[in-house]
Amino acid sequence: MTIPTVTPSMIDPFGRHVTYLRVSVTDRCDFRCVYCMSEHMTFLPKADLLTLEELDRLCSAFVAQGVKKLRITGGEPLVRKNIMWLFRSLGRHLGTGALDELTLTTNGSQLGKLAAELRDCGLRRVNVSIDTLDPAKFKAITRWGDLGVVMEGLDAAEKAGLAIKINAVALKGVNEDEIEELIRFAHGRGFDLTLIETMPMGDIEGDRTDQYLPLSVVRARLLDRFTLEDIPYRTGGPARYVRVAETGGRLGFITPMTHNFCESCNRVRLTCTGTLYMCLGQDDAADLRSVLRASPHDDAALYAAIEAAIARKPKGHDFVIDRRTRRPAIARHMSVTGG
Ligand code: SAM
Ligand code: SF4
């Protein structure tokens, strides 16, 4: 394993090296997944958003401070106007070797149009979120999505030579009977598959305790059908992987609720308004937009603000799905900080 080289400012009080920045470039989306958003969302006024140039400057400051992996997410990142300019610009850090990886989490709706250009900007892997292979269920989960369009996006990404990981949120009573099919589909096409537990983030006009399905249960059920071998494979994210002996493919589990993965956390998250969250499951944040705008030509204050924020990175999250109040543990939606 290679030890990342980072400046001291990117080491938190618990000795964890922060080498991974996730950036939500928009809170908007062309889907309305039931576990992520309510149908009638109020989005941020455009004036509050960082411009693409400001996002580029902020991301580049993190890269200069030791971030080696950048994930662009959202909302749906590919619906932001002119977003390819940002990918192209950030791709320069791959060329210099300052950045190891530039990647993307997407719902796949725009990949048909953009996959080849993304590859051209230096992307090598994408995460595509697909919770079900049933078109009617897909429509029910995403409210506005079309599985056929997403499948065309997958084809385009594959054709462009991008490695693909499918993300699926495990939803009680919705796709729990389809996990085997998702595994066979993903592995049959040479894709990794990662299962995610629902996290209590943001009001969704529904009851989350109805949706929550512990992955420990899913895993136990899979053992009736498959042989799961723990493997040390890591992508820099929180997933723990197994190899499915019967398919030869990799299956990841992201278990914020049943297993605390904070001890190895190397990530911070930036919103499209320039707010830095040091933990997905805590409210403490740093406003980098005002620092950025106060000194348009000098990054020294920005570096100091990043350093001060990393020094406040909490030890971990404490997500709970509160069965008494049925309120989310974290008020902001996942689309604010990105998945
Ligand atoms: N729109 C893109 C997409 O869907 O991939 C990127 C943003 S989305 C917020 C990132 C990931 O977070 C998706 O895989 C989505 O399924 C997941 N997600 C959204 N809300 C979640 C929640 N409350 N709990 C767990 N995962 C969630
Ligand atoms: Fe949009 Fe992704 Fe949230 Fe679904 S999970 S509503 S695609 S941001």
Side-chain angles (χ1 to χ4, degrees):
M1 197 176 106
T2 51
I3 306 288
T5 45
V6 283
T7 60
S9 57
M10 297 291 275
I11 299 174
D12 80 1
F14 304 96
R16 294 170 299 188
H17 292 195
V18 176
T19 54
Y20 184 177
L21 176 68
R22 295 191 179 207
V23 188
S24 173
V25 295
T26 176
D27 62 333
R28 289 167 197 251
C29 189
D30 53 345
F31 291 5
R32 289 288 181 280
C33 302
V34 290
Y35 49 78
C36 181
M37 294 191 181
S38 64
E39 186 151 23
H40 306 284
M41 293 286 289
T42 310
F43 292 111
L44 293 163
K46 291 222 169 71
D48 284 2
L49 261 58
L50 294 179
T51 64
L52 293 175
E53 289 77 7
E54 286 173 327
L55 278 167
D56 184 46
R57 187 177 156 208
L58 255 183
C59 291
S60 301
F62 275 94
V63 172
Q65 292 290 85
V67 157
K68 304 301 276 179
K69 174 168 173 175
L70 266 180
R71 176 175 299 280
I72 306 300
T73 175
E76 175 45 43
L78 298 183
V79 301
R80 177 146 181 190
K81 206 170 156 203
N82 256 340
I83 192 64
M84 293 313 295
W85 177 89
L86 183 66
F87 280 106
R88 184 136 329 256
S89 182
L90 291 173
R92 74 189 185 280
H93 298 303
L94 295 167
T96 64
L99 193 63
D100 290 341
E101 185 171 26
L102 174 61
T103 185
L104 165 74
T105 301
T106 176
N107 64 23
S109 69
Q110 311 298 312
L111 277 179
K113 276 184 280 181
L114 299 177
E117 200 179 341
L118 287 164
R119 163 93 198 183
D120 197 46
C121 294
L123 267 81
R124 294 294 174 263
R125 296 193 299 155
V126 287
N127 289 2
V128 184
S129 305
I130 301 178
D131 303 324
T132 174
L133 297 170
D134 173 330
K137 227 189 252 183
F138 188 85
K139 173 92 20 233
I141 294 173
T142 61
R143 291 194 186 105
W144 297 1
D146 179 335
L147 184 62
V149 173
V150 173
M151 287 298 171
E152 284 167 22
L154 277 185
D155 294 343
E158 205 177 8
K159 191 159 161 242
L162 294 168
I164 296 166
K165 184 172 77 131
I166 308 287
N167 280 345
V169 175
L171 297 162
K172 191 155 113 193
V174 179
N175 64 359
E176 60 182 312
D177 55 344
E178 247 194 280
I179 307 289
E180 180 179 343
E181 199 184 336
L182 281 165
I183 292 174
R184 294 198 189 280
F185 166 76
H187 292 177
R189 301 248 326 232
F191 308 155
D192 288 347
L193 172 71
T194 294
L195 302 173
I196 309 174
E197 283 174 347
T198 50
M199 290 171 246
M201 298 186 65
D203 227 326
I204 52 163
E205 292 167 355
D207 185 349
R208 263 181 222 280
T209 50
D210 289 346
Q211 297 178 347
Y212 175 58
L213 173 63
L215 287 184
S216 49
V217 171
V218 174
R219 193 180 168 130
R221 284 184 198 155
L222 286 176
L223 290 174
D224 291 340
R225 301 254 166 197
F226 296 112
T227 318
L228 308 181
E229 300 156 359
D230 285 321
I231 50 171
Y233 176 74
R234 300 301 296 267
T235 59
R240 302 290 151 92
Y241 284 88
V242 297
R243 170 137 351 251
V244 180
E246 289 74 8
T247 62
R250 278 189 296 247
L251 174 65
F253 295 89
I254 300 186
T255 54
M257 308 300 288
T258 52
H259 176 265
N260 206 313
F261 49 49
C262 305
E263 69 280 358
S264 59
C265 181
N266 58 352
R267 295 172 289 287
V268 287
R269 294 176 154 84
L270 187 68
T271 72
C272 55
T273 58
T275 303
L276 185 73
Y277 285 94
M278 285 71 82
C279 173
L280 181 63
Q282 301 279 359
D283 283 325
D284 186 30
D287 170 22
L288 298 182
R289 183 179 59 186
S290 56
V291 182
L292 182 90
R293 291 186 175 166
S295 46
H297 305 296
D298 175 19
D299 284 342
L302 197 53
Y303 291 160
I306 292 172
E307 184 170 350
I310 301 296
R312 298 208 310 267
K313 185 168 162 62
K315 194 164 180 205
H317 66 239
D318 32 40
F319 283 129
V320 263
I321 293 189
D322 191 328
R323 287 176 195 281
R324 280 163 304 136
T325 65
R326 299 187 175 249
R327 302 297 303 162
I330 294 291
R332 63 180 190 275
H333 288 92
M334 187 71 129
S335 49
V336 174
T337 32

